[in-house]
Amino acid sequence: MFLGVCIVLSLFAAQLLRLQALDASAMAKEALGSRETTHKLQALRGDILDRYGVPLATSVERFNVSVDQRVVCLYQQLSAARLECGGTDPRAAEGVEKAVLALSPLLGIDTTVLTQRLTGTRGFAYVKKGVTPEVWRAVSELDVPGVYGERTSDRLYPAGSVGASVIGFVGADNVTPRGGLELRLNSELTGTDGSVTYQRDPSGRQIATSEISRKDAVDGEDVRLTLDRDLQWKAEQAIDAKVAESGALSGTLVVMKRDGEILALANAPSFDPNDTSASAMKNLANRALSDVYEPGSTGKVMTFAAALQQRVITPTTPMTVNGHIKRAGKVFHDSHDHGPERLTAAGVLAKSSNVGTIMIGEKLSPSTMYGYLTKFGIGQPSGLDFPGESRGILAKPQDWSGSQRYTVLFGQGLSVNAVQAAGVFQTIANDGVRMPPRLIEGVQQPDGTVAKATPQAGVRVVSAETAATVRTMLEGVVSAEGTAPEAKVPGYRVAGKTGTAQRFDPTCGCYRGYTASFIGMAPADDPQLIVAVTLQRPVKGHYGGSLAGPVFKQIMSYALQKLQIPPTGTKAPTISLVPGDG
């Protein structure tokens, strides 16, 4: 018996030695793991700001309230350690009922519904998502066993639809980008999630001072844009109203500085990124960059700039222009029939004569004209790298049909988006240097300073002298003899061009309706701003001067005043529109 007792004691001693010495670390880790839990600390998505730091998209802190149903019944129980929530003990139902009565008014959930969510055997279930930090603090203070808060966020767009087509939107999870700059800037806006690991007691509560490890979340960077929120709002109001008034299919409005910075990029119809389900899918795109169209007469500016640069004309070159002309077996017409007219080259531009433009443009070879078109950015990526952006359509000269060799001269047979069209006039405003358009100013630092993005180099298209001459000629367009006197801005010299192009309709593969536009700059002798207004398939009128011209005047007037750009006070030089006049 003594030997037997010694053997048993020896076995106990060996087992004790194994547990306390050899396997102590593993056993301790296993015990710790049974009461250890890890929660993700979600990083907030960075803000998208306008040029003055006003939020256009922001993330606000929210919490998802979840529950471990297996321990809720222990709420306010004196003998909680001996109570099983899944059993028949009536105290279990009482504990859940107490928790429901305490949580219901805070979470705004009906007691019957909340009872169902808190009762059961599931280790994890959501009670309510997206509660405010204030609500979660109140819930947390109740100290209900098994009720946890997971940090998350809501993506909000404080200005609603203002800039929506540029900013874009995120998915239902408030994180995944679905379009616009939310998608384009996702790497900058996305932060790095963190985590916290701690121990909890049998009732599911965190043990005080039990935090084992913590990795703080790093929020995404804030990005500042070149957009002006107030100007963007004004532009959207103006283009919305004109689309409705004219019965147009859609409209765009671009406000750009001479250095390529985009101050406003408006689309109509637009949408509210806070509730994308209320808008048609086609309205979620940025038409100013995704939709392409034949520019019509606004494209004549490139033909005249090329002809002046190649010295095949001067502004006063005399011409006899008929109402029609036959080339490549096709008859081309002006907007209205007329007999022979005596005009200067400047007069041809002011009156927007297709016939006169063909007569000037055919002095240039197709390859020469193609070279200027590409330098103006036609058929080329803009550099914005915007999701869904189109580079436009420009065939190589060897692929031009017989008639296309002439139609490209007056803005048909090639296609652009609205930003590209505005870029042509930015080039003329900037003394012949095309600057790639810019929407992103840079990343905003915590101290409010901005680490500016490196600007792309400009492209010399025509000389400063040629650009100045084109600007002077374009002033004739807004004169009483031109096609857009409605675009004049009182007190300022304005240079611009109307466009009334036949619109290609992809639904029928034919030309149906018109594209009406006006693009201009001010002050004409020292341009600071370019405004481009385009309306697609208006039904109440279709001329660019009468439809788009007044919108240009409204927005250019507002922008000049808002940015405090004074008139130059100079008088526009007189360029004869008719040979021998003046």
Side-chain angles (χ1 to χ4, degrees), residues 258 429 431 468 471-472 475 492-495 521-528 566-573:
R258 67 180 290 170
D431 290 334
R471 293 197 299 266
T472 302
E475 288 190 72
Y492 288 84
R493 289 173 59 180
V494 173
M521 63 194 78
D525 54 329
D526 184 21
Q528 301 299 312
T568 57
T570 60
K571 185 178 180 180

Side-chain angles (χ1 to χ4, degrees), residues 543-580:
Y543 288 111
S546 58
L547 284 180
V551 181
F552 167 89
K553 176 182 178 179
Q554 177 187 358
I555 297 304
M556 180 61 85
S557 299
Y558 177 84
L560 289 168
Q561 293 177 30
K562 186 178 189 302
L563 300 178
Q564 300 182 0
I565 298 173
T568 57
T570 60
K571 185 178 180 180
T574 301
I575 295 183
S576 299
L577 304 184
V578 178

Side-chain angles (χ1 to χ4, degrees), residues 101-109 128 131 134-135 137-140 142:
L101 293 176
L103 292 171
S104 177
L106 296 178
L107 296 176
I109 302 176
K128 187 173 183 179
V131 305
E134 293 77 15
V135 169
R137 279 196 293 270
V139 169
S140 179
L142 293 176

Side-chain angles (χ1 to χ4, degrees), residues 144-193:
V144 177
V147 173
Y148 308 107
E150 175 189 53
R151 185 181 187 242
T152 183
S153 64
D154 275 350
R155 192 65 166 169
L156 300 180
Y157 302 89
S161 63
V162 177
S165 57
V166 180
I167 304 305
F169 57 101
V170 296
D173 61 359
N174 285 297
V175 174
T176 306
R178 297 300 186 193
L181 292 180
E182 288 278 24
L183 182 58
R184 162 71 173 80
L185 299 171
N186 191 49
S187 60
E188 290 87 350
L189 297 172
T190 300
T192 303
D193 291 337

Side-chain angles (χ1 to χ4, degrees), residues 28 48 200 208 221 233-234 258 305 311 337 345 376 482 515 568:
I48 300 177
R200 55 182 180 177
E221 297 177 310
W233 176 84
K234 188 73 173 179
R258 67 180 290 170
R311 302 185 183 279
D337 192 27
F376 269 111
T515 295
T568 57

Side-chain angles (χ1 to χ4, degrees), residues 366-367 370 395-401 404:
S367 59
Y370 177 81
K396 293 183 178 179
Q398 60 266 30
D399 298 325
W400 289 354
S401 66
Q404 192 176 11

Side-chain angles (χ1 to χ4, degrees), residues 317-521:
T317 297
M319 303 174 62
T320 300
V321 181
N322 292 305
H324 61 274
I325 191 172
K326 187 174 182 179
R327 292 290 188 271
K330 180 177 175 62
V331 178
F332 299 96
H333 300 271
D334 278 346
S335 60
H336 63 282
D337 192 27
H338 60 82
E341 291 183 349
R342 290 287 289 168
L343 297 171
T344 63
V348 169
L349 185 60
K351 293 183 178 296
S352 198
S353 169
N354 293 338
V355 173
T357 303
I358 289 175
M359 294 169 63
I360 290 171
E362 65 184 356
K363 297 178 184 291
L364 305 172
S365 69
S367 59
T368 298
M369 192 65 220
Y370 177 81
Y372 278 100
L373 292 173
T374 54
K375 284 196 291 185
F376 269 111
I378 310 303
Q380 310 297 312
S382 71
L384 288 174
D385 195 24
F386 196 91
E389 177 184 351
S390 172
R391 62 190 298 166
I393 302 172
L394 177 62
K396 293 183 178 179
Q398 60 266 30
D399 298 325
W400 289 354
S401 66
S403 61
Q404 192 176 11
R405 187 269 186 259
Y406 300 98
T407 60
V408 296
L409 301 175
F410 57 84
Q412 303 245 199
L414 54 84
S415 294
V416 299
N417 62 43
V419 171
Q420 287 176 324
V424 172
F425 286 74
Q426 174 276 321
T427 303
I428 299 301
N430 195 43
D431 290 334
V433 178
R434 177 172 63 88
M435 299 299 297
R438 288 193 294 128
L439 272 171
I440 301 166
E441 184 176 343
V443 174
Q444 180 165 295
Q445 307 299 311
D447 62 0
T449 60
V450 178
K452 295 192 175 183
T454 303
Q456 300 180 53
V459 176
R460 169 66 68 181
V461 181
V462 295
S463 68
E465 179 184 3
T466 295
T469 301
V470 173
R471 293 197 299 266
T472 302
M473 294 171 68
L474 288 174
E475 288 190 72
V477 175
V478 298
S479 69
E481 297 79 18
T483 56
E486 300 94 334
K488 288 184 68 70
V489 177
Y492 288 84
R493 289 173 59 180
V494 173
K497 185 71 188 75
T498 56
T500 306
Q502 291 181 313
R503 182 178 183 274
F504 183 79
D505 189 341
T507 61
C508 66
C510 62
Y511 283 98
R512 184 163 60 185
Y514 294 88
T515 295
S517 60
F518 184 87
I519 309 176
M521 63 194 78

